[in-house]
Amino acid sequence: MSNKAVEEGVPYSLHCFINEGEESIKTAPSTRLLTILRDELKLTGTKRSCDIGRCGACMVLIDGKAVNSCLAMAYQCSGKHITSIEGVALQGIDYIQQAFLEEGGFQCGYCTPGMIVSVKALLDDNSEPTDDEIAEALSGNICRCTGYGGIWRAVKQAVERKRQLLAMEQKEELI
Amino acid sequence: MGMNVQETLASPLVWHPQTPQEAWQLKQTYGTESIYISGGTLLRTFWESGMAAMPQHFIDLSTIRGLRELRIGEAGFLIGSQATLQSCRTNMLLQRHFPMITEAIRTIAAPSIRQLATIGGNVACYIGDSIVALLGYDAEVIWFDGIAEQRSLLMNWLQTGQGAKHDDKRLLLQMVLPFEEMEQETISSDEADKLSSQMKRFGAYHKVGRREGFTPSVATICINGRLTGSGVIQHIRIAVGGGQTVPSRLDKLEKEITGAIVDNQLLQHAYERVLQLYEPREDLFASAEYRKSTAANLIAAELWKAVRDDT
């Protein structure tokens, strides 16, 4: 039946791709993606905090876009490609993570995975963001202990690193 | 009595209608046990806070064909109700022709929420911040009533829908933003060209809250108008909202000041009339009087800036 996801009485099964792996998870259609990641898949890098989309600690990429996993429901993730902070580091430490380490872009570290995911979404979409664009992209990520100075430096370094990476790629293409 | 495992895993049932007719029919079938849903970001906050119970049936509107489009049509710029707020925010045509809409959307939550939330949801909740900007552009709405598509001014739709938080009988399909045209009915084309070259457009959108973001606004205003070369208001739209207040146009004030020159007397009049005409809802954080005076100050200041910049 085309207009119905779940036949009455039949448990729902979410099919999607998480950190490049195909997953099939029995859950309620309204289960939050955050719960699936942390409780079902034990991907605890994604943090639980406000539960209402305010703080950004639970940020993940859904089809490359930053989304609060506390707001996204299982049925909305059907067929989607989801990247959590663990997925960002699949090929080893990511240049954005490195920038956060080098610039002291964290203190207690609870907000850091969400911050890194938001920066990744920004730089994947726009490699030369203005200060206003950086501020807007990170406006959904709250840090309660750094005062944002270190985070700002980390993002700026990540932008510079992205620029270098793109230049290297272009050079390799020419060769 | 708790649900068994099978019921828990299947509930709520999510329906994916392909057409407005199918969605509307499902709503009639399941009534208060169902809810139209798309991004679900506002609904999620209701459920988390206990303000509402999660219904047994979700009618997912995101699968209805064509409702995510943003495009120029014969009637104006068309915004599908299922367009995400972020797709509206980043749409170049919308930015160019209706910049106060994209500015209003910039002030709604963060990009990560705007990737899920839709403009239709923001409008259909009756208090969304995009509504104030849409009113400033004379927006119309197209909705489906189970039989046919209906079209009306957004300001009228809001008035008739006030208090109907879960509007079962109407399904919002699109918003229409008319492209502004010179009011040339009574003047020759030469005069119109001359007037057009002398005319100055002005507009502003403001959302004033207790914090920069993630807070219901104390007052949200949009003002959109044109001045003649001699500082006479030739056309104006003034919309107000904020907090739990259903936004509205101050159409009486608009009529009173159209054709008048902007001077100190007009500014004083506009300020006082906003206090009289605007009826905001108060809450624990801001009284109605405070909201009125905030809106009145913003509107008077924008009128003053329009004429000051003109001289």
Side-chain angles (χ1 to χ4, degrees):
Chain A
M1 192 174 173
S2 66
N3 71 344
K4 190 175 172 186
V6 185
E7 294 297 331
E8 287 191 49
V10 178
Y12 179 69
S13 186
L14 165 65
H15 296 278
C16 63
F17 301 87
I18 299 179
N19 298 336
E20 298 183 7
E22 192 168 357
E23 299 283 349
S24 185
I25 302 155
K26 282 192 167 49
T27 187
S30 59
T31 303
R32 297 178 307 171
L33 176 58
L34 173 64
T35 306
I36 293 169
L37 291 173
R38 287 183 58 87
D39 298 352
E40 296 288 327
L41 303 175
K42 308 302 177 193
L43 294 170
T44 54
T46 302
K47 301 303 179 199
R48 181 183 176 189
S49 185
C50 73
D51 278 346
I52 53 170
R54 295 291 189 271
C55 73
C58 67
M59 202 71 75
V60 296
L61 302 179
I62 299 182
D63 286 346
K65 307 286 186 190
V67 173
N68 302 79
S69 63
C70 68
L71 293 178
M73 288 178 269
Y75 85 90
Q76 294 172 308
C77 298
S78 178
K80 302 284 175 68
H81 286 78
I82 293 149
T83 306
S84 69
I85 188 66
E86 290 87 351
V88 172
L90 272 182
Q91 310 300 324
I93 192 161
D94 184 81
Y95 72 97
I96 300 169
Q97 292 172 302
Q98 188 65 39
F100 271 73
L101 283 167
E102 291 176 8
E103 297 293 347
F106 58 90
Q107 194 163 310
C108 82
Y110 203 79
C111 70
T112 311
M115 289 277 181
I116 288 167
V117 168
S118 287
V119 176
K120 179 161 178 56
L122 169 67
L123 295 184
D124 284 353
D125 186 52
N126 175 7
S127 59
E128 299 278 352
T130 63
D131 285 0
D132 283 348
E133 287 167 339
I134 293 170
E136 184 173 341
L138 288 175
S139 61
N141 292 83
I142 294 172
C143 171
R144 293 296 189 203
C145 50
T146 65
Y148 297 101
I151 292 166
W152 191 256
R153 286 195 306 273
V155 177
K156 292 296 229 182
Q157 192 203 105
V159 172
E160 180 55 33
R161 184 70 183 135
K162 176 81 177 184
R163 189 180 294 129
Q164 290 169 0
L165 288 169
L166 288 173
M168 281 168 62
E169 280 175 17
Q170 282 177 343
K171 200 173 174 183
E172 281 170 12
E173 278 175 17
L174 288 172
I175 294 168
Chain B
M1 191 172 72
M3 290 170 136
N4 65 37
V5 172
Q6 195 171 60
E7 284 170 333
T8 304
L9 293 179
S11 179
L13 291 173
V14 184
W15 301 81
H16 299 292
Q18 303 294 302
T19 64
Q21 177 69 50
E22 282 182 21
W24 188 87
Q25 195 57 54
L26 285 163
K27 187 69 187 145
Q28 305 317 301
T29 303
Y30 295 110
T32 55
E33 296 298 322
S34 66
I35 197 158
Y36 289 133
I37 190 167
S38 187
T41 53
L42 183 64
L43 293 172
R44 191 88 227 176
T45 64
F46 290 162
W47 301 330
E48 291 297 331
S49 65
M51 287 170 64
M54 188 182 289
Q56 293 170 9
H57 297 268
F58 285 180
I59 303 167
D60 176 21
L61 301 178
S62 68
T63 47
I64 298 178
R65 283 184 290 271
L67 292 191
R68 284 188 176 254
E69 287 182 349
L70 294 110
R71 63 183 173 86
I72 293 173
E74 283 181 18
F77 192 89
L78 299 170
I79 306 176
S81 65
Q82 299 310 298
T84 64
L85 289 170
Q86 191 65 358
S87 68
C88 296
R89 165 80 179 126
T90 55
N91 184 277
M92 298 302 284
L93 284 171
L94 199 57
Q95 281 180 9
R96 186 187 308 157
H97 297 290
F98 304 97
M100 290 187 291
I101 305 282
T102 51
E103 172 60 16
I105 291 170
R106 186 188 67 78
T107 69
I108 300 170
S112 54
I113 294 170
R114 302 199 294 257
Q115 299 285 7
L116 282 176
T118 61
I119 193 160
N122 198 257
V123 171
C125 74
Y126 291 101
I127 55 169
D129 286 314
S130 69
I131 298 172
V132 179
L134 288 164
L135 286 173
Y137 286 116
D138 272 338
E140 295 176 290
V141 287
I142 297 174
W143 79 91
F144 181 71
D145 68 358
I147 299 167
E149 290 184 7
Q150 306 285 339
R151 185 168 163 170
S152 68
L153 280 172
L154 174 60
M155 63 181 284
N156 296 340
W157 189 78
L158 289 169
Q159 282 167 359
T160 55
Q162 278 189 32
K165 268 195 171 178
H166 303 293
D167 198 334
D168 290 353
K169 302 297 177 192
R170 296 184 298 185
L171 176 59
L172 182 62
L173 301 179
Q174 287 176 311
M175 277 65 68
V176 186
L177 295 165
F179 286 103
E180 201 174 312
E181 290 174 9
M182 293 294 296
E183 288 153 5
Q184 299 173 354
E185 292 85 358
T186 58
I187 54 177
S188 69
S189 60
D190 285 350
E191 286 171 323
D193 289 344
K194 193 178 169 189
L195 261 179
S196 179
S197 65
Q198 293 172 342
M199 206 64 71
K200 182 203 169 188
R201 295 183 66 158
F202 65 96
Y205 173 89
H206 289 291
K207 176 182 175 181
V208 177
R210 290 176 291 117
R211 297 196 308 264
E212 189 177 352
F214 295 112
T215 180
S217 78
V218 169
T220 305
I221 68 112
C222 181
I223 185 164
N224 183 21
R226 292 195 301 266
L227 285 176
T228 66
S230 52
V232 173
I233 295 173
Q234 202 246 356
H235 172 94
I236 193 160
R237 295 288 178 263
I238 302 171
V240 283
Q244 293 300 307
T245 307
V246 176
S248 58
R249 280 251 309 274
L250 299 181
D251 47 347
K252 285 182 183 167
L253 174 59
E254 292 167 4
K255 285 180 187 135
E256 288 165 6
I257 62 177
T258 299
I261 194 159
V262 180
D263 55 16
N264 285 342
Q265 195 179 348
L266 182 136
L267 296 178
Q268 185 67 34
H269 175 76
Y271 179 88
E272 286 168 4
R273 289 294 277 157
V274 176
L275 297 181
Q276 291 164 1
L277 297 170
Y278 183 39
E279 296 177 357
R281 284 180 63 178
E282 62 185 1
D283 59 23
L284 289 171
F285 301 105
S287 68
E289 292 305 311
Y290 183 65
R291 291 173 192 276
K292 282 183 187 189
S293 61
T294 306
N297 277 313
L298 289 168
I299 290 164
E302 284 304 325
L303 286 168
W304 175 73
K305 278 198 276 185
V307 73
R308 180 203 60 177
D309 294 345
D310 201 40
T311 54

